[in-house]
Amino acid sequence: FFNLLKKQQSTMDQPVKLAKVSRVLGRTGNTGNVTQVRVEFMEGGSTTGRSIVRNVKGPVREGDILCLLEWEREARRLR
C-alpha cells in the first residue's frame, strides 16, 4: 500500500505544461468522443512557436488552455 502511495506522489509532483488550443482538427475515436486539436505551448503567459497535435476527451474549442501532464508524445493524424 505504501509503495502505491509513493508512486502516486511521485507522479503528482511532476510539472505540468500549459498549452493553448490553436486549431480543432476533427473528431476521432470509435464513437467520435475524442477531439483532435493542435496546441501551442505557453511560457510565461505567451505562446511559444512549438506546437503539437493532441487528443482531448470532453468539450474543447479554440482558445482553450490545457494542462498537459505529458507533453512529449504527439497523437497520430486523422485519416
Side-chain angles (χ1 to χ4, degrees):
F1 175 75
F2 290 110
N3 286 339
L4 180 63
L5 186 62
K6 280 184 183 179
K7 189 174 184 181
Q8 283 180 337
Q9 284 179 343
S10 67
T11 58
M12 289 174 42
D13 293 340
Q14 292 178 351
V16 297
K17 283 216 180 197
L18 297 179
K20 186 175 184 178
V21 176
S22 61
R23 205 168 78 196
V24 176
L25 300 175
R27 310 280 289 186
T28 185
N30 221 4
T31 58
N33 58 351
V34 177
T35 308
Q36 201 163 58
V37 297
R38 178 167 294 280
V39 296
E40 292 182 7
F41 290 107
M42 299 178 68
E43 296 282 334
S46 63
T47 59
T48 63
R50 185 163 174 249
S51 68
I52 61 170
V53 174
R54 291 299 299 248
N55 292 330
V56 179
K57 188 168 182 164
V60 65
R61 59 184 172 196
E62 288 186 22
D64 283 354
I65 309 272
L66 304 178
C67 275
L68 300 180
L69 299 175
E70 199 278 319
W71 55 86
E72 294 163 354
R73 190 174 350 148
E74 188 163 357
R76 288 192 216 130
R77 300 282 193 275
L78 288 172
R79 290 185 229 172

